[in-house]
Amino acid sequence: MPFVELDLPMEDIYLLVIIALFALAITDLVVGVSNDAVNFLNSAIGSKAISIRNIMIIASVGVAVGAVFSSGMMEVARKGIFTPDQFQYNEIMIIFMAVMLTDVLLLDVFNSLGLPTSTTVSIVFELLGSAVCIAILKIYADDGQLSSLVNYINTEKATEIILGILLSVVIAFSIGAIVQYVSRMLLSFNFRRKLKWVGVLFGGVSLAAITYFILIKGLKGTELSSQAVYTVASGDKSTILAWVNEYFGASFATIDEFFKAKKGLFSLDALDDGSQKLSMTLKGFLGLNVLAVSLTNIILWSMLSALFIYVMRLDIYKIVIGVGTFALAMAFAGNDLVNFIGVPIAAYQSFELWSQSGIAPEAFGMGALSGAVRTPQLLLVFAGGIMVLTLWFSKKARTVVETGINLSRQDEGQEKFKPNYLSRAIVRSGINFNAALVNVLPQKTKDLISNNFSREGVAEDKDAPAFDMVRASVNLVVASILISIGTSLKLPLSTTYVTFMVAMGTSLADRAWGRESAVYRVAGVINVIGGWFVTAAVAFTAAAIFAGLIYFFGFPMMLVLLIVAFGLIVRSAVLHSRSFDKELEKNKRFKKEDIITIKEILSQSSDNISKVIANVNDIYTQVINNLGLQELSKLKKNRKRLEELEEELESLKGDVFYFIRSLDDSSVEASKFYILILDYLQDMVQSISYIAKNSYGHVNNQHKSLKFNQIRDLKNVDARMQTLFDKIQQTFDGEAFENIDSIIEEKKALLDQVSELIQKQIDRIRSTETSPKNTKLYFGLLLETKDLITATMNLLQLFKEFKDDAAA
């Protein structure tokens, strides 16, 4: 295999590979944290319980603590995704390089799309895909049977991960919905008015659940979890075994069999007198005394909650959200950190073993990797620092967080996802089921439910959070409990999947998915869940392809892939930064809640007109030019840009309801003006849409191109249109509204020019024109241009009249 082809010592080449892997690991940390931040930031940010700055500080401390106390165990190697002793050193390095390349690119794609996914699933299936590829190539080279693949790969792990996805979707969503429904029935939306003892009870149970989660999930795999709490038996092995069998009512044949069954719950240490002592570890104490620990926890935290509420006058809901955010952040860093740096660490330790052996890379077996791979503490602290910096500065992290918040927000608004057949079918079935249920419920029950879910009396303003603190607390508590149970029962539940689906379940139960938004929210959930399965499939396939390319083309291919990967990451970061800044600017300019007075309405309308005019002007010119040159690809780009303009205008129209509600009493009459302005803008966009789409269709269908004279005439119209639109844009950008009269006076001359061109085409048909398709397109362009001019002038006339009336 031509893996090493450069004129350098093999040790130097593989050292360069290790350096490249660590560079990828740093990149992977950044893109991984950007995606996983959604797990522990959503509830706090969405509820606005705590300031953004304090949320970031709490999460940063949680991440730092989790990183420091992380076990550093490379989970994927220890759990046996593949069998290391079946591979040689050079093959293992190919597998690890393919994994890191795929992981960085895959997570970055999900970040750019704003979709949360599981870093554990990605790393597992990347290892699986690259290992399968190399194993098949080895089998083929040795003339072996494909059936022997099971000797190289542990397919059981992949099955567990798929099961984990399904369990997360069903269990987390269902329990989240049930708990939120019960909580809302007890607390209602006016939870501030409830008796204080209700807050004490809620705080006690919530903080107890989160604390238990910190103990179970946060300590998992750490050194502290294996520390002995107290001695339960001592003596020789037979005496200890007898105690074990009596205590557990079991029949273990040997101490080793007992430790295999109760892994990590007990420790066995030698005493000075030659005997041994059996001690229960902290993990064992928590795992074997769940009821006692839970009750003690609830009582303790209920007492503290009473102190917080009655004596210190603190907001118990804010405390729950703060502690929950810390807990999830700590668990993420403590357990998922190794998903990003475990592979490079394993590669480095493989390098150390090989470099000391003096054996050729293709002859050195890697059976030593079958055990645990420990990460140096200093490296964990360094990695934790990178994670904290990413939290503070990553724009992509904010994009992923916004997806979760938007799908679970209480109010209506602009939706990110488009409805599909499946989402419509699910919503329709849900509505029918609800209607049937309502018919059988007693009236008193319906009144009780209606009263508790009523938002009457709840203050709503422009800065209202996406959801209240009760839902945020339930999100954190339920996620904590489910992950704790999953950890103690060794179920393959993903932190990402659980937290996301709990948030979706609580949203449904809280009636956040109303008739106005349900199809969009359900479509969003379907997209995210589909993305999870895509993660596994793409991770497996891409890693296998990368491994195959490196296997056949060696180090030069690895270098090419590294350059391409880093190039794509940089390009993605630049493009996302631009789109993020553009989105911020758009939100700033089109903030519906800020439009409350006549002056602000004029300013907002002026901005809208200027933006649409600028886009229409540019698209019109480009379409005419590209049509004349038969540039199909550029016409396609014009269509795509037009779709963005249409979506933006739809967003403005969708906000009309909130706009009218936000007006002060003296400005209500202005709502009709604003609606008509949007209507004229819609007419303009429809005209340019017809021009762009029909031009694209004409060229795409390979019809005859327009004749030189026709293109020339259209360019003449375009030149005058450009002059007109430039004047309008300058007028509205500079608020020089006194120029509107002179612009309107140009209407007749423009319309007359278009009419003359229509007559010229009629004359051509009578004499020289031979193409019906050509004629249809040309007439369509001229008529829509005429409509575009008319809509523009009507808009200017309306704006002038409204401004004059407002000034009077």
Side-chain angles (χ1 to χ4, degrees):
M1 180 198 68
F3 180 65
V4 180
E5 297 174 348
L6 301 184
D7 189 19
L8 288 171
M10 280 192 287
E11 191 167 334
D12 290 348
I13 290 176
Y14 279 110
L15 183 59
L16 291 175
V17 173
I18 296 298
I19 293 172
L21 284 170
F22 274 100
L24 286 170
I26 294 173
T27 309
D28 206 26
L29 272 170
V30 174
V31 296
V33 173
S34 297
N35 196 278
D36 276 355
V38 67
N39 295 338
F40 47 86
L41 294 179
N42 267 10
S43 294
I45 293 177
S47 65
K48 295 186 179 179
I50 313 169
S51 68
I52 292 289
R53 179 175 174 274
N54 289 338
I55 291 171
M56 298 303 290
I57 291 173
I58 291 170
S60 299
V61 172
V63 167
V65 171
V68 170
F69 288 100
S70 173
S71 65
M73 306 299 289
M74 194 179 79
E75 296 283 325
V76 289
R78 184 159 57 83
K79 291 179 179 178
I81 302 302
F82 59 88
T83 309
D85 55 18
Q86 296 289 327
F87 297 91
Q88 273 61 54
Y89 171 70
N90 60 336
E91 296 162 346
I92 284 288
M93 296 302 283
I94 293 175
I95 290 172
F96 288 157
M97 179 57 74
V99 166
M100 293 306 296
L101 283 168
T102 306
D103 204 51
V104 167
L105 292 173
L106 182 63
L107 292 180
D108 187 66
V109 168
F110 272 87
N111 290 345
S112 299
L113 294 174
L115 297 176
T117 191
S118 171
T119 54
T120 303
V121 169
S122 63
I123 203 79
V124 165
F125 276 90
E126 284 152 7
L127 278 164
L128 193 61
S130 56
V132 165
C133 176
I134 299 300
I136 290 175
L137 292 172
K138 280 173 65 72
I139 293 169
Y140 177 77
D142 296 338
D143 294 325
Q145 297 294 320
L146 195 59
S147 58
S148 62
L149 183 63
V150 293
N151 298 327
Y152 295 84
I153 306 299
N154 183 359
T155 54
E156 182 182 350
K157 189 63 201 176
T159 305
E160 285 186 358
I161 294 296
I162 297 296
L163 179 62
I165 295 176
L166 297 175
L167 284 173
S168 301
V169 171
V170 178
I171 296 176
F173 184 86
S174 303
I175 294 181
I178 293 169
V179 173
Q180 177 62 32
Y181 192 86
V182 173
S183 299
R184 190 62 74 191
M185 287 295 293
L186 292 173
L187 296 168
S188 79
F189 279 99
N190 290 290
F191 57 93
R192 298 290 187 191
R193 300 180 184 177
K194 292 290 181 178
L195 296 174
K196 290 184 177 179
W197 68 265
V198 178
V200 170
L201 180 61
F202 183 83
V205 173
S206 299
L207 290 171
I210 293 171
T211 305
Y212 190 75
F213 165 74
I214 292 175
L215 293 173
I216 293 294
K217 185 70 175 175
L219 294 175
K220 176 192 172 187
T222 64
E223 296 288 349
L224 192 58
S225 68
S226 60
Q227 294 296 314
V229 177
Y230 60 87
T231 301
V232 295
S234 60
D236 57 24
K237 284 191 175 183
S238 60
T239 303
I240 293 175
L241 185 61
W243 180 90
V244 165
N245 285 327
E246 181 181 352
Y247 182 82
F248 286 101
S251 56
F252 295 110
T254 63
I255 284 291
D256 290 339
E257 184 184 345
F258 162 71
F259 274 103
K260 186 176 181 180
K262 304 294 181 182
K263 187 176 181 181
L265 302 184
F266 294 87
S267 64
L268 190 64
D269 302 297
L271 299 175
D272 294 338
D273 60 3
S275 62
Q276 294 182 310
K277 69 172 182 178
L278 181 69
S279 302
M280 183 177 290
T281 63
L282 179 58
K283 179 182 177 181
F285 176 77
L286 295 174
L288 297 174
N289 299 281
V290 176
L291 184 60
V293 171
S294 299
L295 287 175
T296 304
N297 222 0
I298 290 174
I299 293 171
L300 174 64
W301 280 110
S302 294
M303 293 170 62
L304 287 173
S305 296
L307 178 67
F308 294 150
I309 294 174
Y310 287 103
V311 179
M312 302 175 71
R313 306 292 181 181
L314 298 177
D315 190 331
I316 192 63
Y317 299 99
K318 289 186 178 181
I319 294 174
V320 170
I321 292 168
V323 175
T325 300
F326 169 84
L328 285 178
M330 187 193 74
F332 157 70
N335 294 281
D336 290 353
L337 177 61
V338 289
N339 288 341
F340 312 122
I341 63 175
V343 168
I345 290 297
Y348 176 70
Q349 297 196 345
S350 301
F351 172 75
E352 283 188 321
L353 291 170
W354 166 75
S355 60
Q356 295 167 8
S357 69
I359 302 174
E362 61 272 11
F364 184 71
M366 295 307 302
L369 280 186
S370 295
V373 178
R374 185 163 299 280
T375 306
Q377 194 69 28
L378 185 62
L379 191 57
L380 289 173
V381 174
F382 176 71
I386 293 176
M387 296 168 80
V388 170
L389 290 173
T390 301
L391 271 182
W392 282 89
F393 298 108
S394 174
K395 291 181 179 179
K396 290 189 177 182
R398 281 177 264 175
T399 303
V400 180
V401 168
E402 284 171 5
T403 296
I405 293 175
N406 285 337
L407 287 175
S408 56
R409 69 180 187 272
Q410 190 71 41
D411 62 333
E412 313 294 345
Q414 186 64 26
E415 302 293 343
K416 180 176 180 178
F417 296 93
K418 294 182 180 180
N420 52 51
Y421 175 80
L422 185 56
S423 69
R424 293 187 185 99
I426 292 173
V427 171
R428 192 178 298 112
S429 300
I431 292 172
N432 292 337
F433 174 78
N434 182 68
L437 189 63
V438 167
N439 288 333
V440 299
L441 286 176
Q443 188 59 43
K444 287 186 177 180
T445 303
K446 288 189 283 188
D447 292 341
L448 177 64
I449 294 172
S450 178
N451 290 335
N452 280 294
F453 278 87
S454 171
R455 294 177 60 82
E456 186 176 348
V458 178
E460 294 186 12
D461 54 45
K462 64 183 181 181
D463 294 320
F467 42 82
D468 65 12
M469 286 189 273
V470 171
R471 176 131 65 95
S473 300
V474 171
N475 284 345
L476 293 165
V477 170
V478 173
S480 299
I481 292 174
L482 288 179
I483 295 170
S484 300
I485 294 172
T487 301
S488 60
L489 297 178
K490 298 180 180 179
L491 295 174
L493 294 179
S494 164
T495 305
T496 300
Y497 299 161
V498 170
T499 52
F500 180 82
M501 291 311 299
V502 165
M504 296 304 100
T506 57
S507 303
L508 176 65
D510 226 15
R511 298 186 177 180
W513 296 0
R515 293 288 289 269
E516 300 290 328
S517 62
V519 288
Y520 306 100
R521 308 282 175 89
V522 173
V525 174
I526 292 171
N527 283 352
V528 172
I529 295 174
W532 297 346
F533 288 95
V534 169
T535 299
V538 173
F540 182 94
T541 306
I545 292 172
F546 287 160
L549 289 173
I550 298 171
Y551 182 91
F552 285 112
F553 299 104
F555 189 83
M557 176 56 68
M558 181 186 295
L559 192 60
V560 169
L561 291 175
L562 282 169
I563 293 172
V564 170
F566 282 116
L568 290 174
I569 293 293
V570 171
R571 179 178 179 273
S572 171
V574 172
L575 291 177
H576 185 272
S577 179
R578 288 176 183 171
S579 65
F580 186 87
D581 292 339
K582 189 185 295 184
E583 191 69 21
L584 282 181
E585 182 62 25
K586 186 181 80 172
N587 290 338
K588 188 190 302 181
R589 291 179 64 184
F590 298 118
K591 190 113 176 177
K592 59 182 179 290
E593 298 93 340
D594 293 339
I595 312 169
I596 55 174
T597 66
I598 294 290
K599 182 179 179 181
E600 288 166 336
I601 293 169
L602 285 170
S603 176
Q604 177 64 43
S605 300
S606 180
D607 284 345
N608 293 343
I609 293 168
S610 177
K611 185 176 180 63
V612 173
I613 287 289
N615 278 282
V616 168
N617 186 11
D618 196 32
I619 293 172
Y620 189 92
T621 299
Q622 288 188 26
V623 169
I624 298 302
N625 290 337
N626 295 330
L627 178 62
L629 298 172
Q630 298 283 289
E631 292 278 6
L632 183 63
S633 61
K634 291 183 179 180
L635 285 169
K636 188 174 183 179
K637 288 181 181 178
N638 296 149
R639 284 185 60 196
K640 184 172 179 60
R641 183 176 167 190
L642 184 62
E643 288 172 1
E644 294 173 358
L645 181 60
E646 289 173 335
E647 287 177 4
E648 196 166 307
L649 195 57
E650 276 301 310
S651 174
L652 286 171
K653 291 172 66 179
D655 289 340
V656 165
F657 173 81
Y658 306 100
F659 161 76
I660 294 174
R661 291 189 63 175
S662 70
L663 292 173
D664 62 16
D665 293 339
S666 62
S667 305
V668 173
E669 291 298 323
S671 57
K672 183 178 179 181
F673 160 76
Y674 189 75
I675 293 169
L676 289 174
I677 286 288
L678 292 182
D679 185 50
Y680 285 133
L681 291 177
Q682 179 72 45
D683 289 343
M684 293 170 65
V685 171
Q686 283 177 347
S687 293
I688 193 66
S689 175
Y690 177 93
I691 291 169
K693 291 178 180 178
N694 280 274
S695 297
Y696 171 79
H698 185 86
V699 176
N700 193 34
N701 290 330
Q702 305 299 312
H703 295 318
K704 290 181 181 179
S705 61
L706 294 182
K707 294 181 178 179
F708 173 79
N709 289 339
Q710 292 172 319
I711 294 295
R712 182 193 60 194
D713 291 342
L714 287 173
K715 282 182 175 291
N716 289 335
V717 172
D718 174 48
R720 294 195 64 172
M721 295 283 284
Q722 270 191 317
T723 303
L724 171 71
F725 286 144
D726 286 343
K727 285 182 182 177
I728 296 173
Q729 190 178 351
Q730 290 168 9
T731 296
F732 283 97
D733 283 345
E735 297 188 359
F737 302 127
E738 64 275 7
N739 297 332
I740 291 179
D741 284 332
S742 61
I743 296 173
I744 293 175
E745 289 175 2
E746 298 180 28
K747 175 182 178 181
K748 185 176 185 305
L750 274 168
L751 292 178
D752 287 346
Q753 183 180 4
V754 174
S755 296
E756 287 174 8
L757 295 181
I758 292 173
Q759 184 59 50
K760 282 176 68 175
Q761 179 62 18
I762 293 173
D763 294 339
R764 288 193 194 102
I765 294 172
R766 301 285 296 176
S767 57
T768 60
E769 183 61 71
T770 59
S771 172
K773 298 295 184 185
N774 187 306
T775 298
K776 177 186 174 184
L777 174 65
Y778 189 67
F779 274 142
L781 297 180
L782 291 176
L783 291 173
E784 289 300 330
T785 299
K786 182 181 177 183
D787 290 345
L788 177 60
I789 295 168
T790 302
T792 303
M793 295 304 178
N794 289 343
L795 181 146
L796 294 176
Q797 185 67 41
L798 174 68
F799 191 94
K800 177 182 178 299
E801 291 173 358
F802 179 79
K803 187 178 182 307
D804 291 344
D805 290 343

